[in-house]
Amino acid sequence: MDGFINVNKPKDFTSQDVLNVIKRNFRGTKIGHGGTLDPGATGVLPVCLGKGTKLQDHIMGGKKTYIAEIAFGCYSPTLDMDGDYEICDRGFSLEEGALLSILPEFTGEIEQVPPMVSAIKRKGVPLYKLARKGESVELAPRTVTIYGIEVLAFGKRDDLPLVKLKINCSKGTYIRSLARDLGKSLGTKAIVASLERVTAGDFSLDEAYTLAEIGDLAAKGDYSFILPLDYCLKNIPAVKCEDIAAVTQVLRGAATDITANIPAGSEVRLLDFADNLLALGEVTAEQKVQPRKVLYTVRQRKKPLQIIDGEFREYPFSHDTAVALGNFDGVHLGHRYLLEHMALEAENRNLTSLALTFSPHPRDFLTGGAHKYLQTKEAKARHIGAAGVDALWFMNFDASLASMSAQEFVDNIIIKKLRAKILYVGYNFKFGRGAENNAEWLRKYCAARGIDVRVLEKITYTGIAVSSSNIKDFLCAGDMKRVNELLGYNFSLGGTVVTGRQLGRTIGFPTANLDYSSSVLLPEPGIYITWAKYRGQGHPSVTNIGNCPTVGDNLALTVEVHILDDEPDIYGEDLEVVFLRKLRGEIKFPSLEQLKIKINEDAETARRFFAARKGR
């Protein structure tokens, strides 16, 4: 989980003690705090979870407000009353007028010497450890800012005069040092009697949770106390990525163009088109944003993907579900975006994340046609699993499901069978008998039943809609650059190597003939630069898709792979062919000799292509 917890730290707990207690509810999650509080102090202690730890400096750098009681006429080595202290000036009388007259000296930008019991390190050793050994170190003053000091009340403790102050200050201000210096200015000694932090940046005490409250909520699976990553970034200007191409750039750490006029050197928040926080960046002189801290990452599933193929019988999950619903053909950038966000939201709400898809494709069942897919069922499962979801259900699309109304589907499947609390769909999603209902209907119908529906709006990549149909159009045109951009990964074919016509071997270019799934759509016939994967390794290759017109007429379509740096004997073995670029269309040559010359040219072009990639 990622975000922040606003903790009301109890007295006599160190900041590390607080983290140790919270860790029990977030095992395996990175955790840190946003500014130490002494054991004797209470109040606001921001705790960072997961990627929230990357934003600790934004929390620690914020303004802070303390309520401090300061006792005069006494001293302790720790400058507070939590340990032994001595009364050294019982006759001191604290006059309100005298105190008010010196407070201006302690507001604004001042020089302050830290206490010896601080966590500042000297040669790698915290000062408080040196103090425990009786050692003393000469400390240089530090510049801090006290924005204001307000007198709240006067009182007594052990017959010592005491004042209660409200102090607004910057990072690095020590209230114990302030107490010491106030006493010195009034001609006596002074220490902190009690200290409570009531604000730290955007975190306030009235919205903080006790450790007991956090434990109780977490035990119930209620993580509403976790604040989002952008909670402490509200005052940083935002730059929105309107296109998935820009989002991809940001997540790769590459600079992206912006249209907003923001001064160079400014820190900005980088958001996607749905206002999700992606990264923090810095505006360059060229009016680009260079990401500095990438905050969005795919959820890391701790267990293997659970696959349900066919009948869904007894409820197999320990929690209610968040469900992403769709065909997910190709698991392209849009699908990945939806699945990743569903998985992250499910984790934040302690739900099981489930992708629900159909087998066969509804169009296959309804038309009786041989629908062509962008990948096999196994490849779809692999790519859906990479999005961080917990489970995948290949639901049988049969006559019973085809005749089911939209209301019946939601009531019987989504609510009763899956116990869904959140449902994710694409903007063009249609379902129910005759595809009679759409995403907007689904949103309204589910809202009345306590289910939150998230509809993913149309996603574009450099102005092109990211959709399975568009990807198939580019694939049929052999435009592998566009295909791979919209998929978000390189298109591939997998299968078993079988014996072919073995013509390539006779002309010096042996090939592996791929027995691929007939359900997968092939790229346009032609010659392609490819990456061949077998026996756990990848090899540069050139692949021909076609009917070999030079050899004969009306021959069967084949996929033949020539490995450039190897001549393996891999008959009967698995082979995956990854398509990188189209070299040319299929040509009928006058002779085998001319075919050989052209194949040799193709191989050299491919070698130059791979050599250039190595230099990147």
Side-chain angles (χ1 to χ4, degrees):
M1 293 186 181
D2 305 305
F4 307 100
I5 306 174
N6 186 0
V7 180
N8 184 352
K9 187 188 90 66
K11 187 173 171 59
D12 298 327
F13 272 61
T14 67
S15 298
Q16 186 59 47
D17 290 338
V18 171
L19 296 187
N20 290 339
V21 171
I22 292 178
K23 278 180 182 178
R24 299 169 192 165
N25 301 300
F26 298 95
R27 300 199 183 277
T29 300
K30 191 174 182 181
I31 190 170
H33 58 72
T36 303
L37 267 183
D38 295 326
T42 62
V44 173
L45 179 68
V47 170
C48 311
L49 296 176
K51 292 189 284 294
T53 56
K54 293 185 177 182
L55 299 173
Q56 282 175 293
D57 53 340
H58 287 80
I59 298 173
M60 296 172 73
K63 295 180 181 179
K64 297 171 176 63
T65 305
Y66 294 91
I67 303 296
E69 290 182 317
I70 297 175
F72 292 83
C74 55
Y75 171 78
S76 77
T78 58
L79 297 178
D80 59 37
M81 282 187 163
D82 290 329
D84 293 332
Y85 64 92
E86 61 179 272
I87 298 173
C88 56
D89 191 358
R90 190 175 288 279
F92 177 77
S93 176
L94 179 62
E95 300 293 335
E96 181 176 357
L99 177 65
L100 293 175
S101 70
I102 66 167
L103 289 184
E105 301 173 22
F106 296 93
T107 56
E109 197 172 88
I110 65 171
E111 296 296 304
Q112 186 183 75
V113 177
M116 263 302 295
V117 287
S118 69
I120 295 171
K121 292 183 179 179
R122 179 60 59 92
K123 295 183 179 179
V125 181
L127 292 181
Y128 66 81
K129 289 189 176 181
L130 297 178
R132 288 173 187 166
K133 296 177 181 179
E135 298 181 30
S136 182
V137 177
E138 189 73 26
L139 297 172
R142 295 184 169 199
T143 302
V144 298
T145 303
I146 297 180
Y147 303 101
I149 303 176
E150 179 184 351
V151 178
L152 299 180
F154 289 90
K156 291 271 189 180
R157 181 173 297 185
D158 291 343
D159 278 338
L160 294 170
L162 180 144
V163 65
K164 189 175 187 178
L165 302 176
K166 181 178 181 180
I167 305 156
N168 295 309
C169 59
S170 68
K171 170 189 175 183
T173 303
Y174 287 95
I175 306 303
R176 284 175 295 179
S177 292
L178 176 63
R180 175 198 65 201
D181 296 343
L182 285 172
K184 184 177 181 181
S185 188
L186 291 171
T188 189
K189 293 185 183 296
I191 61 176
V192 172
S194 70
L195 184 64
E196 181 179 58
R197 185 157 65 192
V198 293
T199 70
D202 293 311
F203 299 83
S204 63
L205 186 58
D206 58 356
E207 296 177 340
Y209 291 83
T210 66
L211 290 175
E213 289 170 334
I214 292 167
D216 289 343
L217 288 168
K220 297 173 186 175
D222 180 357
Y223 294 95
S224 57
F225 57 86
I226 299 178
L227 300 166
L229 283 177
D230 57 357
Y231 183 80
C232 61
L233 306 173
K234 299 167 186 173
N235 296 322
I236 299 175
V239 171
K240 184 177 279 192
C241 301
E242 300 290 352
D243 190 285
I244 196 79
V247 171
T248 303
Q249 286 271 94
V250 169
L251 297 183
R252 289 174 179 166
T256 185
D257 293 319
I258 61 172
T259 55
N261 186 18
I262 301 175
S266 299
E267 185 177 42
V268 295
R269 288 177 292 147
L270 283 156
L271 310 177
D272 67 12
F273 30 81
D275 292 331
N276 295 298
L277 179 65
L278 300 173
L280 292 179
E282 182 180 336
V283 179
T284 68
E286 297 79 21
Q287 278 295 284
K288 292 178 177 287
V289 175
Q290 178 62 54
R292 299 300 184 200
K293 291 181 180 179
V294 176
L295 299 168
Y296 177 85
T297 56
V298 179
R299 173 182 178 252
Q300 298 301 305
R301 190 179 54 251
K302 296 180 177 65
K303 296 179 180 179
L305 176 69
Q306 184 174 352
I307 299 176
I308 303 163
D309 196 351
E311 187 64 27
F312 190 107
R313 299 185 184 278
E314 292 184 10
Y315 190 77
F317 311 123
S318 56
H319 304 286
D320 294 339
T321 61
V323 178
L325 184 59
N327 287 307
F328 305 122
D329 188 15
V331 195
H332 56 56
L333 284 172
H335 296 145
R336 279 291 297 260
Y337 179 90
L338 183 144
L339 291 164
E340 288 171 8
H341 281 80
M342 183 269 291
L344 290 169
E345 181 67 8
E347 182 175 57
N348 285 334
R349 291 175 56 169
N350 201 33
L351 301 170
T352 295
S353 53
L354 169 72
L356 194 169
T357 189
F358 304 102
S359 179
H361 193 289
R363 195 179 303 161
D364 249 6
F365 178 83
L366 296 171
T367 64
H371 184 81
K372 293 289 185 179
Y373 300 90
L374 287 167
Q375 59 195 172
T376 62
K377 199 171 178 179
E378 294 73 23
K380 178 184 284 190
R382 187 170 66 250
H383 282 99
I384 287 177
V389 302
D390 295 310
L392 166 63
W393 181 17
F394 286 106
M395 186 179 186
N396 283 333
F397 196 93
D398 53 19
S400 174
L401 189 59
S403 64
M404 191 179 291
S405 70
Q407 292 94 326
E408 290 172 327
F409 183 83
V410 172
D411 293 341
N412 297 331
I413 305 299
I414 299 301
I415 296 175
K416 185 177 178 180
K417 192 175 283 284
L418 296 180
R419 292 166 35 186
K421 299 301 179 186
I422 321 172
L423 189 58
Y424 282 73
V425 296
Y427 73 99
N428 57 354
F429 180 75
K430 292 184 182 297
F431 72 116
R433 187 172 48 239
E436 60 199 15
N437 295 92
N438 58 22
E440 191 53 39
W441 177 91
L442 184 65
R443 195 202 302 267
K444 293 177 182 177
Y445 188 80
C446 288
R449 289 152 181 79
I451 301 174
D452 185 12
V453 175
R454 310 284 176 87
V455 179
L456 178 66
E457 299 304 325
K458 181 166 72 172
I459 290 178
T460 61
Y461 188 100
T462 60
I464 300 170
V466 180
S467 68
S468 299
S469 57
N470 276 348
I471 294 170
K472 288 179 178 179
D473 288 344
F474 287 122
L475 189 65
C476 290
D479 189 346
M480 300 313 301
K481 179 177 183 295
R482 285 295 187 195
V483 168
N484 294 340
E485 284 176 344
L486 299 187
L487 284 175
Y489 59 90
N490 293 323
F491 176 85
S492 67
L493 289 173
T496 305
V497 177
V498 296
T499 303
R501 288 182 285 267
Q502 299 190 324
L503 172 67
R505 192 171 300 277
T506 66
I507 58 175
F509 292 95
T511 60
N513 195 286
L514 188 69
D515 183 16
Y516 57 91
S517 171
S518 61
S519 67
V520 176
L521 183 67
L522 292 179
E524 179 187 39
I527 311 300
Y528 292 84
I529 297 175
T530 54
W531 190 248
K533 295 181 179 179
Y534 54 90
R535 297 175 183 170
Q537 296 204 357
H539 299 263
S541 59
V542 176
T543 297
N544 175 69
I545 296 178
N547 306 94
C548 302
T550 305
V551 177
D553 297 325
N554 302 316
L555 297 178
L557 189 71
T558 58
V559 177
E560 297 176 293
V561 186
H562 171 62
I563 314 298
L564 293 175
D565 60 359
D566 195 10
E567 289 190 25
D569 181 4
I570 52 175
Y571 289 113
E573 296 188 29
D574 292 334
L575 173 67
E576 182 184 10
V577 185
V578 180
F579 289 77
L580 305 176
R581 174 181 154 189
K582 185 179 180 183
L583 276 176
R584 60 176 175 85
E586 191 172 43
I587 302 171
K588 182 174 183 177
F589 291 93
S591 66
L592 286 178
E593 186 59 32
Q594 287 181 293
L595 171 62
K596 181 178 178 180
I597 292 171
K598 188 59 180 175
I599 292 176
N600 190 61
E601 291 176 0
D602 294 336
E604 287 305 310
T605 302
R607 288 190 177 94
R608 289 194 297 270
F609 173 86
F610 286 109
R613 285 165 64 96
K614 284 183 180 178
R616 291 181 182 177

